[in-house]
């Protein structure tokens, strides 16, 4: 068995991306289209999503769009019916939609708590459950966008981070459950990617992007996530399942170590 550039191609594949109107989802969707995939994109932001769909079509790819709140299970089911009607299958699901607000745990009321659970966990379950029967006999790939916050403490984001950790656990368990169907399940733990969502969060905690150091010495951009998304979507990652790729300029490895300004590092 050899590896060729064709293994990186997504020609003939159908990729579902959630939260695709901006940021990481948009970058991932456009990259998948550039690598040859047809797309199903959804988001609650209609105008921006239409712009993404137009770019996909301009690349010569087919696209199905869905404007809805991913926390609505009926809307998810209806979107996946549209996907089935148009394409008859799904080869790759990128569970990207998600988000949070900054609040001490004890200040989040039960309504906010449920919203965060639905936003970052329940809808992921619904997309996986809905896509599963659409994966062909030859299998497919599920890519769950998680966060470095699934791997460390996250004061002010406790519910968000614990839901991202739940998705990490789900990724490992479903990798085993779905292995016989040839469906690989992996996660990408993002950190320090400059998106509108990240800027909004940063403004709530006093400017994340301004003072946050990564070992690689710069803040990330959405396209830094696009390559790993395409990699996990494609046959280049055919022997990977149940694992996590960290995309954050090395912050996961650093685990609190910072540059000391004199060419070395300090904890
Ligand atoms: N940017 C980072 O550094 C970073 C770090 C860790 C994890 N993440 C994760 O990456 C993913 C994408 O984040 P981003 O930084 O691109 O954020 P973003 O807010 O810029 O983009 C998220 C997109 O998802 C859509 N969306 C969110 N909730 C939705 C809902 N309930 N219904 C429909 N659409 C919805 C938004 O409208 C938006 O278009 C999220 O799951 C986030 O938790 C990002």
């Amino acid at each position: 068995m050899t590896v060729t550039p064709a293994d990186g191609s997504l020609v003939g594949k159908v990729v579902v991306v959630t939260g695709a109107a901006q940021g990481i989802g948009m970058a991932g969707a456009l990259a998948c289209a550039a690598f040859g995939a047809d797309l199903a994109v959804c988001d609650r932001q209609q105008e921006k999503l239409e712009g993404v769909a137009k770019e996909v079509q301009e690349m010569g790819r087919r696209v199905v769009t869905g404007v809805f709140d991913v926390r609505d299970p009926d809307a998810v089911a209806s979107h996946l019916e549209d996907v089935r009607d148009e394409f008859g299958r799904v080869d790759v699901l990128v569970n990207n939609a998600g988000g949070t607000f900054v609040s001490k745990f004890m200040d989040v009321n039960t309504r906010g708590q449920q919203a965060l659970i639905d936003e970052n966990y329940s809808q992921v379950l619904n997309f996986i459950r809905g896509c599963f029967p659409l994966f062909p006999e030859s299998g497919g790939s599920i890519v769950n966008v998680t966060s470095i916050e699934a791997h460390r403490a996250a004061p002010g984001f406790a519910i968000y981070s614990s839901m991202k950790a739940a998705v990490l656990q789900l990724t490992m368990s479903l990798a085993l459950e779905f292995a016989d169907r040839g469906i690989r399940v992996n996660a990408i733990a993002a950190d320090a990617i400059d998106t509108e969502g990240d800027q909004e969060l940063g403004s709530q905690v006093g400017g994340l992007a301004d003072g946050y150091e990564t070992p690689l010495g710069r803040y990330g951009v959405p396209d830094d996530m696009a390559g790993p998304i395409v990699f996990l979507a494609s046959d280049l990652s055919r022997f990977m399942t149940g694992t996590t790729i960290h995309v954050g300029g090395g912050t996961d490895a650093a685990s609190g170590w910072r540059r000391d300004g004199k060419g070395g590092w300090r904890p």
Side-chain angles (χ1 to χ4, degrees), residues 18-26 42-45 48 68-71 95-100 118-120 123 145-149 160 164 188-199 219 222 225 247:
T18 69
Q22 67 183 38
I24 293 166
M26 178 176 82
C42 63
D43 204 289
R44 59 186 162 204
Q45 300 190 75
K48 284 186 173 180
F68 58 92
D69 190 317
V70 296
R71 292 171 295 179
N95 274 314
N96 166 75
T100 188
D118 292 343
E119 169 80 4
N120 294 292
Q123 56 92 7
V145 177
T146 61
S147 169
I148 193 173
E149 317 300 355
Y160 165 82
K164 290 293 193 186
I188 303 179
D191 188 27
I193 307 295
D194 190 7
T195 62
E196 287 174 62
D198 186 65
Q199 283 173 16
Y219 216 73
M225 286 285 289
V247 180

Side-chain angles (χ1 to χ4, degrees), residues 221-240:
V221 295
D223 278 342
D224 291 328
M225 286 285 289
I229 287 172
V230 169
F231 169 68
L232 286 179
S234 78
D235 289 346
L236 287 174
S237 58
R238 63 194 173 203
F239 201 50
M240 290 174 67

Side-chain angles (χ1 to χ4, degrees), residues 91-234:
D91 299 285
V92 178
L93 166 63
V94 181
N95 274 314
N96 166 75
T100 188
F101 50 85
V102 181
S103 176
K104 287 181 182 166
F105 174 74
M106 290 306 292
D107 291 338
V108 181
N109 62 24
T110 52
R111 195 159 158 258
Q113 175 173 304
Q114 194 58 51
L116 287 169
I117 293 170
D118 292 343
E119 169 80 4
N120 294 292
Y121 186 61
S122 308
Q123 56 92 7
V124 173
L125 301 179
N126 293 334
F127 269 98
I128 293 174
R129 206 180 281 286
C131 284
F132 184 87
L134 300 179
F135 281 106
E137 282 306 307
S138 53
S141 173
I142 297 172
V143 182
N144 294 323
V145 177
T146 61
S147 169
I148 193 173
E149 317 300 355
H151 301 261
R152 68 182 185 192
F157 320 103
I159 300 171
Y160 165 82
S161 63
S162 50
M163 290 304 102
K164 290 293 193 186
V167 173
L168 175 63
Q169 165 55 231
L170 183 75
T171 299
M172 295 188 287
S173 294
L174 295 188
L176 270 59
E177 281 202 29
F178 293 178
D180 287 347
R181 278 279 276 108
I183 301 168
R184 301 181 294 106
V185 191
N186 292 290
I188 303 179
D191 188 27
I193 307 295
D194 190 7
T195 62
E196 287 174 62
D198 186 65
Q199 283 173 16
E200 168 57 29
L201 212 52
S203 69
Q204 292 176 41
V205 293
L208 261 183
D210 294 342
Y212 194 71
E213 290 176 23
T214 74
L216 285 182
R218 68 169 174 87
Y219 216 73
V221 295
D223 278 342
D224 291 328
M225 286 285 289
I229 287 172
V230 169
F231 169 68
L232 286 179
S234 78

